[in-house]
Amino acid sequence: MAEELIVAQGSKEEKYKALIPQIEGIVKYERDKVAVMANISAALMETFRFLWVGFYSVDGDRLVLGPFQGPLACTRIAYGKGVCGTAWAESRTLVVPDVDAFPGHIACSSSSRSEIVVPFFQDGAVAGVLDIDSESLATFDDTDALWLGKAMEIFGASLSSGMGKDSERNGVVVYCASSSEVPEKYLEAARETGRLIAEAGYTLVTGGGYRGLMASTIDGALEAGGKVSGVLPHFMIERGWAHTGLTTCLDTPSMHVRKQTMADLSVAAVALPGGIGTLDELCEIMAWRQLKLFSGKVVLVNIDGFFDPLVDMFGKICREGFMRGGELPVKIVSTPQEAIEYIKGDRP
Ligand code: SME
């Protein structure tokens, strides 16, 4: 996302109009729920300078305090209690012009005079609320309800599509050529890799292109009934380079964010034959593995000796002392079958 928030001058509506695309950016490029809630709170606070902006998340029969900006707040609110608990129970936005007139209002700060609470939903159920307090009476109206509702729709949609479900992360990222002008044996190996990844129950994570080994890997996974997450920088999507069968297509602002996103979604990385882009991805994930920035397995599939010169180079790196510990952060195998067996290795 942009490092700096752009705050529009003018009416409340103009401010929200400028804010919403920035909230989309916050949500799109980060998969950690707490990080997203923290930055949405900060963006709202910086734009409007409210008394208190923050989140409560559903935890059993209570709401528990999440990321916020402002004075200390109560940490737990029971279902149906206060404005927050009522918005949860009624699954709707509540605009409270005068908190003293709201039966059961919970006063976290004595300075709070009016409030708005907007629920957000994950998979159809309330997953929490966005709560905003103001020091003035009647600060909030239908305009706030509308725009904050849009913001929570964006956040909720992302939650429903898997944000924050790290335990369910089960991608295997495949790096390979986007060129189709290569011998058929490589395209076949790519298709087999996609099929084996899907059959093993992993989601194929890929650069998402419609050509080359990338497309063959995607086709193989889809033919086997698997899921495919394609991760493409925005400019490639605009040029129409995305494979049309992707289960999910993630749009990133840059190649760097693309590589980070693919790694974040994955428990293992596989490199198949490819060109400079593939080598870049392979070397980067090996470096991340070595630095413990990526904990998954990294496998190089040396189809028909394609990578022999690189394997020799790796050997030289080790022999001449350039590899700390002498051990390469990559497993070299000859077939897609061996690659998937190695990845599945210690899976329960
Ligand atoms: N006023 C809220 C409690 C939360 S604080 O405002 C941060 C309520 O009545 O639910």
Side-chain angles (χ1 to χ4, degrees):
M1 67 160 288
E3 298 298 324
E4 234 172 80
L5 188 80
I6 296 160
V7 179
Q9 300 306 311
S11 69
K12 168 152 86 171
E13 185 154 32
E14 280 160 340
K15 287 189 165 142
Y16 278 120
K17 270 189 187 154
L19 182 61
I20 289 292
Q22 299 183 82
I23 288 185
E24 270 169 342
I26 291 170
V27 169
K28 193 188 291 178
Y29 302 127
E30 175 54 63
R31 293 186 53 76
D32 185 274
K33 183 181 167 186
V34 170
V36 169
M37 292 194 287
N39 264 347
I40 293 176
S41 305
L44 283 163
M45 185 58 105
E46 203 173 326
T47 301
F48 293 104
R49 301 281 161 207
F50 293 125
L51 171 67
W52 196 94
V53 179
F55 284 86
Y56 283 90
S57 291
V58 169
D59 180 13
D61 62 350
R62 284 173 187 266
L63 291 167
V64 65
L65 181 64
F68 71 94
Q69 301 252 326
L72 285 187
C74 47
T75 56
R76 286 171 192 271
I77 298 173
Y79 180 82
K81 299 291 177 195
V83 187
C84 293
T86 307
W88 173 20
E90 296 181 4
S91 297
R92 67 185 182 98
T93 295
L94 292 180
V95 176
V96 180
D98 177 357
V99 294
D100 293 331
F102 187 93
H105 167 256
I106 301 164
C108 286
S109 161
S110 56
S111 306
S112 173
R113 308 295 302 280
S114 61
E115 182 166 2
I116 184 167
V117 177
V118 185
F120 57 89
F121 298 80
Q122 181 174 348
D123 302 322
V126 175
V129 298
L130 169 70
D131 180 18
I132 305 181
D133 288 71
S134 163
E135 280 173 300
S136 311
L137 285 169
T139 295
F140 307 103
D141 56 23
D142 288 350
T143 303
D144 302 277
L146 177 79
W147 290 97
L148 294 171
K150 280 187 205 289
M152 288 305 96
E153 259 173 45
I154 294 164
F155 178 49
S158 183
L159 283 176
S160 302
S161 76
M163 181 206 288
K165 296 180 187 166
D166 247 16
S167 58
E168 290 170 28
R169 178 168 65 156
N170 78 335
V172 172
V173 58
V174 175
Y175 309 126
C176 59
S178 59
S179 170
S180 301
E181 318 306 312
V182 297
E184 187 58 31
K185 60 187 173 186
Y186 300 127
L187 296 163
E188 276 168 22
R191 187 177 290 261
E192 189 190 354
T193 305
R195 176 176 63 77
L196 292 170
I197 286 173
E199 284 174 359
Y202 296 106
T203 296
L204 170 65
V205 177
T206 150
Y210 75 101
R211 296 180 70 242
L213 272 71
M214 227 190 270
S216 300
T217 317
I218 295 168
D219 292 340
L222 293 175
E223 282 158 13
K227 288 188 197 158
V228 182
S229 295
V231 186
L232 294 95
H234 192 70
F235 78 89
M236 288 189 183
I237 294 178
E238 277 189 328
R239 288 181 197 174
W241 292 358
H243 190 290
T244 52
L246 299 174
T247 318
T248 51
C249 179
L250 294 166
D251 175 337
T252 65
S254 67
M255 293 292 281
H256 286 91
V257 177
R258 175 200 226 184
K259 287 187 282 182
Q260 181 72 63
T261 304
M262 291 198 294
D264 288 347
L265 293 171
S266 302
V267 296
V270 175
L272 295 177
I276 297 300
T278 304
L279 287 181
D280 168 50
E281 291 167 325
L282 170 66
C283 290
E284 183 153 38
I285 202 75
M286 286 170 64
W288 289 355
R289 163 97 199 166
Q290 202 185 353
L291 294 166
K292 301 198 179 354
L293 298 173
F294 179 75
S295 57
K297 294 177 178 175
V298 181
V299 197
L300 176 63
V301 193
N302 189 14
I303 306 290
D304 213 16
F306 176 82
F307 283 115
D308 281 352
L310 183 65
V311 173
D312 286 348
M313 185 72 228
F314 286 157
K316 186 164 188 170
I317 288 173
C318 291
R319 280 193 310 279
E320 302 215 356
F322 288 92
M323 194 63 237
R324 202 181 310 124
E327 201 187 316
L328 279 175
V330 65
K331 166 89 172 169
I332 299 160
V333 301
S334 307
T335 64
Q337 186 80 42
E338 285 172 83
I340 306 308
E341 286 307 319
Y342 169 66
I343 290 169
K344 283 199 304 194
D346 47 16
R347 191 167 70 166

